[in-house]
Amino acid sequence: MVRCMTTVWRLAATSVTLLALLAAGDRLVAGAVGQSAEWRHGTQNPRQRILWDREDDGSRVVIVGDSVLASCYVNTPAQTLWARLEARLGAPVFPAALDGATPADLLLVARRVAARWPAGTIALVGVHPARIFVDEGPVPETSRYEAWLDDGSSPFASRLGPFLADHVFLVGRYERLQEYFHGTLATEATYYGAGVNRDRHWKDDGFARWRFDDLARVLEAGGAHRLLSRLDWIDAIDAELRRGGLRPVFVLTPLNQAQLHEHAAGHERVPEMLAASRARLLERLEGRGHEFIDLYTALDAAAFADLIHPNVRGDDGLAAALAAALRGERRATP
């Protein structure tokens, strides 16, 4: 018995020593890397901040959504939706939108936000008007970001993952460290005003028309792709955020009415499908008592890069409307 206890104590002492050495090594790397100019001025993709940023910036408003709320068509960081909303609210706003996020991804984002942000935080959840809602049915629950967002399926694992990410430098900054050591860590400004990610107007070139025709083909083929969503996704997001004590507010983002009218010739079913889906969504939101802000007709044609994505003017208009709603100047329902 004594020998057994001695062995246990030795193992415990060895484990504590090993953990202390690992912690010291982690602090050493954090100190050495954190002081470099490349680390201090470099960043990962700001449109994927929910995947890599563990710093508490004091934000009590979080934007959850896909590319429509990810400010894909602006030229500078100051023109992003979150920067414009911060300026109007006078408080930090965290962008948790992900380009191409599916409903399955947004549920995972909501779960991470609920685990990391304090009770009372407002989660603005974007729902774009080209998403086709069905009552129930075999809609594929695909995810693009599950490998980065799934913190574990068990209660222990779901707590351990965020804990390690928050407290262990090498874990929480793993992707950014990879870019740092490969010399590919870029400054924030490099993600704006270049290539596709720049301010644009839907009539500038054929970009918006091509995207509309692609959307029309998908919808007319039955929408058997990421645009299909079950209505219970809305309920699941709401429940996940409320479980963490957060305040979910669904944001029904605008539709470019001018482009829909101009390009619908030959695709007459598209406006009907979008209208039917919107009616179904509104009925669900109102019937379940979900809080929402309806911005469906909030922007003029000059505010769009295509059918659903805002440009610089559009993001500024969205920020103004959201700030007004959060201040109680614009009606949020119910």
Side-chain angles (χ1 to χ4, degrees):
M1 181 65 177
V2 174
R3 182 177 297 175
C4 181
M5 289 301 296
T6 300
T7 302
V8 170
W9 280 110
R10 284 177 178 171
L11 286 173
T14 301
S15 299
V16 170
T17 301
L18 179 60
L19 288 173
L21 289 172
L22 290 173
D26 188 68
R27 286 196 300 272
L28 184 64
V29 173
V33 173
Q35 294 303 313
S36 70
E38 293 84 354
W39 183 264
R40 285 185 285 111
H41 298 295
T43 185
Q44 291 177 258
N45 190 340
R47 297 187 181 92
Q48 296 181 351
R49 192 171 162 192
I50 188 63
L51 303 183
W52 54 263
D53 192 351
R54 272 84 180 181
E55 300 295 338
D56 184 358
D57 62 356
S59 56
R60 295 300 174 262
V61 175
V62 181
I63 299 172
V64 178
D66 53 24
S67 59
V68 175
L69 296 184
S71 292
C72 293
Y73 303 106
V74 299
N75 290 334
T76 69
Q79 294 172 336
T80 59
L81 172 61
W82 47 94
R84 303 311 304 146
L85 187 54
E86 281 183 2
R88 285 177 169 81
L89 296 178
V93 175
F94 190 95
L98 288 168
D99 185 17
T102 67
D105 290 317
L106 297 186
L107 183 57
L108 289 171
V109 169
R111 188 170 298 154
R112 176 167 289 189
V113 169
R116 293 183 181 276
W117 270 265
T121 297
I122 298 171
L124 300 172
V125 183
V127 185
H128 71 67
R131 193 170 292 288
I132 301 300
F133 284 94
V134 295
D135 297 317
E136 302 293 341
V139 176
E141 297 296 332
T142 57
S143 171
R144 295 183 61 187
Y145 296 98
E146 185 176 9
W148 293 272
L149 287 169
D150 190 355
D151 291 322
S153 56
S154 71
F156 175 74
S158 64
R159 291 181 176 85
L160 180 61
F163 176 84
L164 291 176
D166 288 338
H167 294 87
V168 181
F169 184 80
L170 292 172
V171 174
R173 312 300 191 279
Y174 176 71
E175 288 86 2
R176 189 178 176 195
L177 280 167
Q178 279 190 313
E179 294 187 8
Y180 172 81
F181 287 118
H182 284 93
T184 58
L185 197 57
T187 61
E188 186 179 44
T190 60
Y191 292 95
Y192 299 96
V196 174
N197 298 124
R198 57 179 172 82
D199 186 26
R200 61 196 313 153
H201 184 275
W202 64 280
K203 282 196 171 185
D204 283 348
D205 48 39
F207 174 77
R209 181 59 195 253
W210 171 81
R211 297 199 65 166
F212 179 86
D213 290 341
D214 182 61
L215 169 69
R217 283 191 293 270
V218 170
L219 296 182
E220 290 165 347
H225 138 308
R226 66 181 184 279
L227 296 175
L228 272 182
S229 303
R230 281 199 300 262
L231 283 165
D232 56 9
W233 164 69
I234 297 292
D235 301 329
I237 290 273
D238 189 85
E240 196 69 52
L241 291 167
R242 289 188 184 280
R243 194 174 298 122
L246 281 70
R247 174 188 166 193
V249 180
F250 293 93
V251 179
L252 309 191
T253 58
L255 182 75
N256 186 347
Q257 308 291 335
Q259 185 184 2
L260 182 64
H261 176 75
E262 183 171 318
H263 291 167
H267 300 292
E268 285 75 14
R269 287 187 57 209
V270 172
E272 296 175 7
M273 293 177 72
L274 295 179
S277 177
R278 173 173 162 76
R280 190 177 291 115
L281 173 62
L282 287 171
E283 181 181 11
R284 182 67 160 229
L285 290 168
E286 292 170 346
R288 298 295 177 91
H290 299 315
E291 185 177 359
F292 66 93
I293 302 169
D294 190 357
L295 302 180
Y296 185 65
T297 58
L299 300 181
D300 59 31
F304 288 93
D306 58 15
L307 186 67
I308 61 175
H309 292 90
N311 53 24
V312 170
R313 176 184 173 93
D315 273 338
D316 194 54
L318 283 181
L322 290 172
L326 294 179
R327 290 193 300 257
E329 300 167 9
R330 181 189 182 102
R331 180 171 173 262
T333 308

